[in-house]
PDB file of all heavy atoms in Angstrom:
ATOM      1  N   ASP A 777      42.665  40.779-312.861  1.00  0.00           N
ATOM      2  CA  ASP A 777      42.113  39.572-312.319  1.00  0.00           C
ATOM      3  C   ASP A 777      42.891  38.331-312.742  1.00  0.00           C
ATOM      4  O   ASP A 777      43.487  37.691-311.895  1.00  0.00           O
ATOM      5  CB  ASP A 777      40.588  39.530-312.699  1.00  0.00           C
ATOM      6  CG  ASP A 777      39.817  38.418-311.973  1.00  0.00           C
ATOM      7  OD1 ASP A 777      40.441  37.399-311.644  1.00  0.00           O
ATOM      8  OD2 ASP A 777      38.709  38.550-311.759  1.00  0.00           O
ATOM      9  N   VAL A 778      42.908  38.086-313.975  1.00  0.00           N
ATOM     10  CA  VAL A 778      43.441  36.826-314.525  1.00  0.00           C
ATOM     11  C   VAL A 778      44.911  36.738-314.313  1.00  0.00           C
ATOM     12  O   VAL A 778      45.348  35.763-313.628  1.00  0.00           O
ATOM     13  CB  VAL A 778      43.074  36.636-316.079  1.00  0.00           C
ATOM     14  CG1 VAL A 778      43.719  35.434-316.563  1.00  0.00           C
ATOM     15  CG2 VAL A 778      41.566  36.679-316.280  1.00  0.00           C
ATOM     16  N   LEU A 779      45.621  37.683-314.728  1.00  0.00           N
ATOM     17  CA  LEU A 779      47.135  37.636-314.587  1.00  0.00           C
ATOM     18  C   LEU A 779      47.524  37.547-313.089  1.00  0.00           C
ATOM     19  O   LEU A 779      48.427  36.691-312.816  1.00  0.00           O
ATOM     20  CB  LEU A 779      47.754  38.820-315.252  1.00  0.00           C
ATOM     21  CG  LEU A 779      47.893  38.708-316.836  1.00  0.00           C
ATOM     22  CD1 LEU A 779      48.562  39.898-317.439  1.00  0.00           C
ATOM     23  CD2 LEU A 779      48.614  37.373-317.221  1.00  0.00           C
ATOM     24  N   PRO A 780      47.093  38.337-312.157  1.00  0.00           N
ATOM     25  CA  PRO A 780      47.422  38.245-310.816  1.00  0.00           C
ATOM     26  C   PRO A 780      47.198  36.831-310.256  1.00  0.00           C
ATOM     27  O   PRO A 780      47.953  36.350-309.545  1.00  0.00           O
ATOM     28  CB  PRO A 780      46.707  39.276-310.000  1.00  0.00           C
ATOM     29  CG  PRO A 780      46.340  40.271-311.145  1.00  0.00           C
ATOM     30  CD  PRO A 780      46.195  39.556-312.423  1.00  0.00           C
ATOM     31  N   THR A 781      45.971  36.307-310.577  1.00  0.00           N
ATOM     32  CA  THR A 781      45.673  34.971-310.169  1.00  0.00           C
ATOM     33  C   THR A 781      46.664  33.933-310.573  1.00  0.00           C
ATOM     34  O   THR A 781      47.123  33.163-309.863  1.00  0.00           O
ATOM     35  CB  THR A 781      44.241  34.606-310.574  1.00  0.00           C
ATOM     36  OG1 THR A 781      43.341  35.554-310.244  1.00  0.00           O
ATOM     37  CG2 THR A 781      43.826  33.317-309.949  1.00  0.00           C
ATOM     38  N   LEU A 782      46.940  34.052-311.923  1.00  0.00           N
ATOM     39  CA  LEU A 782      47.850  33.038-312.399  1.00  0.00           C
ATOM     40  C   LEU A 782      49.261  33.236-311.898  1.00  0.00           C
ATOM     41  O   LEU A 782      49.990  32.226-311.556  1.00  0.00           O
ATOM     42  CB  LEU A 782      47.942  33.169-313.887  1.00  0.00           C
ATOM     43  CG  LEU A 782      46.520  32.790-314.605  1.00  0.00           C
ATOM     44  CD1 LEU A 782      46.578  33.076-316.164  1.00  0.00           C
ATOM     45  CD2 LEU A 782      46.214  31.266-314.431  1.00  0.00           C
ATOM     46  N   GLU A 783      49.612  34.493-311.615  1.00  0.00           N
ATOM     47  CA  GLU A 783      50.937  34.766-311.089  1.00  0.00           C
ATOM     48  C   GLU A 783      50.997  34.109-309.620  1.00  0.00           C
ATOM     49  O   GLU A 783      51.938  33.475-309.271  1.00  0.00           O
ATOM     50  CB  GLU A 783      51.092  36.327-310.889  1.00  0.00           C
ATOM     51  CG  GLU A 783      52.148  36.749-309.954  1.00  0.00           C
ATOM     52  CD  GLU A 783      53.526  37.012-310.709  1.00  0.00           C
ATOM     53  OE1 GLU A 783      53.424  37.132-311.941  1.00  0.00           O
ATOM     54  OE2 GLU A 783      54.498  37.094-310.055  1.00  0.00           O
ATOM     55  N   ARG A 784      49.905  34.286-308.881  1.00  0.00           N
ATOM     56  CA  ARG A 784      49.844  33.674-307.588  1.00  0.00           C
ATOM     57  C   ARG A 784      49.973  32.096-307.594  1.00  0.00           C
ATOM     58  O   ARG A 784      50.685  31.550-306.759  1.00  0.00           O
ATOM     59  CB  ARG A 784      48.520  34.050-306.898  1.00  0.00           C
ATOM     60  CG  ARG A 784      48.642  33.951-305.355  1.00  0.00           C
ATOM     61  CD  ARG A 784      47.446  34.640-304.711  1.00  0.00           C
ATOM     62  NE  ARG A 784      46.174  33.935-305.069  1.00  0.00           N
ATOM     63  CZ  ARG A 784      45.103  34.580-305.507  1.00  0.00           C
ATOM     64  NH1 ARG A 784      45.162  35.774-305.796  1.00  0.00           N
ATOM     65  NH2 ARG A 784      43.962  33.910-305.645  1.00  0.00           N
ATOM     66  N   LEU A 785      49.440  31.617-308.578  1.00  0.00           N
ATOM     67  CA  LEU A 785      49.409  30.132-308.753  1.00  0.00           C
ATOM     68  C   LEU A 785      50.680  29.661-309.414  1.00  0.00           C
ATOM     69  O   LEU A 785      50.973  28.463-309.467  1.00  0.00           O
ATOM     70  CB  LEU A 785      48.252  29.633-309.621  1.00  0.00           C
ATOM     71  CG  LEU A 785      46.870  29.876-309.120  1.00  0.00           C
ATOM     72  CD1 LEU A 785      45.898  29.592-310.215  1.00  0.00           C
ATOM     73  CD2 LEU A 785      46.563  28.995-307.966  1.00  0.00           C
ATOM     74  N   GLY A 786      51.487  30.656-309.909  1.00  0.00           N
ATOM     75  CA  GLY A 786      52.766  30.271-310.536  1.00  0.00           C
ATOM     76  C   GLY A 786      52.453  29.496-311.878  1.00  0.00           C
ATOM     77  O   GLY A 786      53.351  28.764-312.329  1.00  0.00           O
ATOM     78  N   ASP A 787      51.315  29.780-312.498  1.00  0.00           N
ATOM     79  CA  ASP A 787      51.040  28.998-313.738  1.00  0.00           C
ATOM     80  C   ASP A 787      51.518  29.987-314.892  1.00  0.00           C
ATOM     81  O   ASP A 787      50.718  30.793-315.439  1.00  0.00           O
ATOM     82  CB  ASP A 787      49.559  28.845-313.739  1.00  0.00           C
ATOM     83  CG  ASP A 787      49.101  28.066-315.014  1.00  0.00           C
ATOM     84  OD1 ASP A 787      49.933  27.911-315.960  1.00  0.00           O
ATOM     85  OD2 ASP A 787      47.900  27.720-315.166  1.00  0.00           O
ATOM     86  N   LYS A 788      52.768  29.693-315.273  1.00  0.00           N
ATOM     87  CA  LYS A 788      53.318  30.516-316.316  1.00  0.00           C
ATOM     88  C   LYS A 788      52.746  30.294-317.652  1.00  0.00           C
ATOM     89  O   LYS A 788      52.585  31.131-318.480  1.00  0.00           O
ATOM     90  CB  LYS A 788      54.884  30.244-316.390  1.00  0.00           C
ATOM     91  CG  LYS A 788      55.645  30.630-315.174  1.00  0.00           C
ATOM     92  CD  LYS A 788      56.109  32.110-315.302  1.00  0.00           C
ATOM     93  CE  LYS A 788      56.917  32.548-314.132  1.00  0.00           C
ATOM     94  NZ  LYS A 788      56.144  32.866-312.921  1.00  0.00           N
ATOM     95  N   LEU A 789      52.341  29.076-317.912  1.00  0.00           N
ATOM     96  CA  LEU A 789      51.838  28.704-319.225  1.00  0.00           C
ATOM     97  C   LEU A 789      50.579  29.426-319.573  1.00  0.00           C
ATOM     98  O   LEU A 789      50.378  30.130-320.529  1.00  0.00           O
ATOM     99  CB  LEU A 789      51.796  27.203-319.281  1.00  0.00           C
ATOM    100  CG  LEU A 789      51.423  26.621-320.695  1.00  0.00           C
ATOM    101  CD1 LEU A 789      52.511  27.033-321.683  1.00  0.00           C
ATOM    102  CD2 LEU A 789      51.293  25.204-320.612  1.00  0.00           C
ATOM    103  N   THR A 790      49.596  29.259-318.615  1.00  0.00           N
ATOM    104  CA  THR A 790      48.272  30.010-318.857  1.00  0.00           C
ATOM    105  C   THR A 790      48.464  31.463-318.816  1.00  0.00           C
ATOM    106  O   THR A 790      47.865  32.252-319.597  1.00  0.00           O
ATOM    107  CB  THR A 790      47.275  29.532-317.806  1.00  0.00           C
ATOM    108  OG1 THR A 790      47.411  28.162-317.604  1.00  0.00           O
ATOM    109  CG2 THR A 790      45.889  29.924-318.271  1.00  0.00           C
ATOM    110  N   GLN A 791      49.496  32.004-317.991  1.00  0.00           N
ATOM    111  CA  GLN A 791      49.831  33.371-318.048  1.00  0.00           C
ATOM    112  C   GLN A 791      50.191  33.874-319.448  1.00  0.00           C
ATOM    113  O   GLN A 791      49.735  34.876-319.950  1.00  0.00           O
ATOM    114  CB  GLN A 791      50.961  33.688-317.042  1.00  0.00           C
ATOM    115  CG  GLN A 791      50.602  34.605-315.975  1.00  0.00           C
ATOM    116  CD  GLN A 791      51.895  34.680-315.049  1.00  0.00           C
ATOM    117  OE1 GLN A 791      52.519  33.781-314.654  1.00  0.00           O
ATOM    118  NE2 GLN A 791      51.991  35.878-314.556  1.00  0.00           N
ATOM    119  N   ALA A 792      50.935  32.963-320.105  1.00  0.00           N
ATOM    120  CA  ALA A 792      51.475  33.321-321.499  1.00  0.00           C
ATOM    121  C   ALA A 792      50.200  33.431-322.409  1.00  0.00           C
ATOM    122  O   ALA A 792      50.124  34.357-323.237  1.00  0.00           O
ATOM    123  CB  ALA A 792      52.425  32.269-322.010  1.00  0.00           C
ATOM    124  N   VAL A 793      49.306  32.477-322.197  1.00  0.00           N
ATOM    125  CA  VAL A 793      48.095  32.464-323.035  1.00  0.00           C
ATOM    126  C   VAL A 793      47.276  33.657-322.767  1.00  0.00           C
ATOM    127  O   VAL A 793      46.803  34.388-323.752  1.00  0.00           O
ATOM    128  CB  VAL A 793      47.321  31.214-322.853  1.00  0.00           C
ATOM    129  CG1 VAL A 793      45.948  31.288-323.568  1.00  0.00           C
ATOM    130  CG2 VAL A 793      48.017  29.899-323.172  1.00  0.00           C
ATOM    131  N   ALA A 794      47.112  34.161-321.605  1.00  0.00           N
ATOM    132  CA  ALA A 794      46.385  35.379-321.239  1.00  0.00           C
ATOM    133  C   ALA A 794      47.070  36.593-321.845  1.00  0.00           C
ATOM    134  O   ALA A 794      46.387  37.462-322.306  1.00  0.00           O
ATOM    135  CB  ALA A 794      46.158  35.473-319.745  1.00  0.00           C
ATOM    136  N   LEU A 795      48.422  36.624-321.785  1.00  0.00           N
ATOM    137  CA  LEU A 795      49.215  37.690-322.344  1.00  0.00           C
ATOM    138  C   LEU A 795      48.926  37.732-323.884  1.00  0.00           C
ATOM    139  O   LEU A 795      48.893  38.779-324.395  1.00  0.00           O
ATOM    140  CB  LEU A 795      50.653  37.559-322.119  1.00  0.00           C
ATOM    141  CG  LEU A 795      51.089  37.966-320.731  1.00  0.00           C
ATOM    142  CD1 LEU A 795      52.574  37.499-320.388  1.00  0.00           C
ATOM    143  CD2 LEU A 795      50.955  39.479-320.619  1.00  0.00           C
ATOM    144  N   GLY A 796      48.770  36.516-324.409  1.00  0.00           N
ATOM    145  CA  GLY A 796      48.430  36.426-325.890  1.00  0.00           C
ATOM    146  C   GLY A 796      47.122  37.128-326.177  1.00  0.00           C
ATOM    147  O   GLY A 796      46.972  37.832-327.148  1.00  0.00           O
ATOM    148  N   THR A 797      46.150  36.896-325.316  1.00  0.00           N
ATOM    149  CA  THR A 797      44.831  37.596-325.455  1.00  0.00           C
ATOM    150  C   THR A 797      44.974  39.112-325.338  1.00  0.00           C
ATOM    151  O   THR A 797      44.396  39.868-326.158  1.00  0.00           O
ATOM    152  CB  THR A 797      43.823  37.114-324.419  1.00  0.00           C
ATOM    153  OG1 THR A 797      43.883  35.696-324.334  1.00  0.00           O
ATOM    154  CG2 THR A 797      42.476  37.433-324.743  1.00  0.00           C
ATOM    155  N   ILE A 798      45.843  39.531-324.423  1.00  0.00           N
ATOM    156  CA  ILE A 798      46.063  41.008-324.321  1.00  0.00           C
ATOM    157  C   ILE A 798      46.711  41.508-325.632  1.00  0.00           C
ATOM    158  O   ILE A 798      46.328  42.533-326.122  1.00  0.00           O
ATOM    159  CB  ILE A 798      47.077  41.181-323.140  1.00  0.00           C
ATOM    160  CG1 ILE A 798      46.286  40.992-321.802  1.00  0.00           C
ATOM    161  CG2 ILE A 798      47.629  42.643-323.127  1.00  0.00           C
ATOM    162  CD1 ILE A 798      47.050  41.370-320.566  1.00  0.00           C
ATOM    163  N   ALA A 799      47.715  40.716-326.138  1.00  0.00           N
ATOM    164  CA  ALA A 799      48.275  41.199-327.399  1.00  0.00           C
ATOM    165  C   ALA A 799      47.251  41.310-328.517  1.00  0.00           C
ATOM    166  O   ALA A 799      47.252  42.298-329.282  1.00  0.00           O
ATOM    167  CB  ALA A 799      49.326  40.194-327.845  1.00  0.00           C
ATOM    168  N   GLU A 800      46.280  40.354-328.523  1.00  0.00           N
ATOM    169  CA  GLU A 800      45.219  40.421-329.548  1.00  0.00           C
ATOM    170  C   GLU A 800      44.397  41.740-329.405  1.00  0.00           C
ATOM    171  O   GLU A 800      44.032  42.367-330.387  1.00  0.00           O
ATOM    172  CB  GLU A 800      44.274  39.184-329.242  1.00  0.00           C
ATOM    173  CG  GLU A 800      44.253  38.234-330.314  1.00  0.00           C
ATOM    174  CD  GLU A 800      43.268  37.098-329.945  1.00  0.00           C
ATOM    175  OE1 GLU A 800      43.749  36.164-329.208  1.00  0.00           O
ATOM    176  OE2 GLU A 800      42.113  37.124-330.324  1.00  0.00           O
TER     177      GLU A 800
END
Side-chain angles (χ1 to χ4, degrees):
Chain A
D777 188 329
V778 177
L779 284 177
T781 308
L782 295 170
E783 165 92 17
R784 200 168 67 233
L785 296 168
D787 183 349
K788 293 273 184 282
L789 189 58
T790 318
Q791 243 177 320
V793 174
L795 280 168
T797 315
I798 290 184
E800 245 177 278

